[in-house]
Amino acid sequence: MIHAAGGCAIIKSDDPDVIQRLNQEAAEALAAGRAAGYQITEGEAMKWITLNPAKAIGLDKETGSLEPGKRADVVLWDKNPFSIYAKAERVYLDGAVAYDRRDPRYQPKSDFELGQGAGR
């Protein structure tokens, strides 16, 4: 395996749409690796989109895993994050709620909605 040999597998994207689905991209790579006969755990695959990218750019002491003193950017899923049916329930950025699927105060607004109520 790559990581056993000291490598650092990473799933990343600069595409604004794909970056929102890195969990699905990792799931595809995980399935392909397993189909090729590699024994890869979901924990190892999760590092492809969390700790390994942080390590690659020298930020693994600050972010990429949940440890005391690190920046807490976390997504809570309603299902296994490698499922195409998984939906983000809540997102925390730097430890603060940035999105909550059940709370409209923490949901994105469209450009149209942003202009509503300004003159009221």
Side-chain angles (χ1 to χ4, degrees):
M1 288 296 303
I2 292 172
H3 68 275
C8 186
I10 296 170
I11 305 286
K12 57 102 43 216
S13 178
D14 293 332
D15 183 276
D17 293 322
V18 176
I19 195 87
Q20 300 296 318
R21 302 186 309 271
L22 289 181
N23 60 313
Q24 292 176 13
E25 298 296 319
E28 288 180 28
L30 174 61
R34 286 178 171 173
Y38 294 106
Q39 295 181 359
I40 307 167
T41 67
E42 288 185 355
E44 291 168 323
M46 186 57 68
K47 288 180 183 178
W48 299 343
I49 59 174
T50 58
L51 185 59
N52 290 359
K55 182 179 177 182
I57 61 172
L59 294 177
D60 55 311
K61 302 292 186 227
E62 299 174 36
T63 191
S65 61
L66 296 177
E67 297 177 53
K70 286 190 172 185
R71 287 188 278 154
D73 294 349
V74 180
V75 179
L76 300 179
W77 301 91
D78 67 343
K79 294 178 180 41
N80 180 325
F82 293 123
S83 166
I84 61 168
Y85 302 107
K87 295 179 184 170
E89 285 287 332
R90 193 177 269 183
V91 176
Y92 295 88
L93 299 178
D94 291 328
V97 176
Y99 171 81
D100 187 322
R101 192 162 72 125
R102 303 190 191 289
D103 188 339
R105 295 175 300 162
Y106 297 102
Q107 295 174 0
K109 305 282 188 270
S110 72
D111 289 344
F112 177 77
E113 292 172 312
L114 289 174
Q116 300 301 306
R120 293 180 195 172

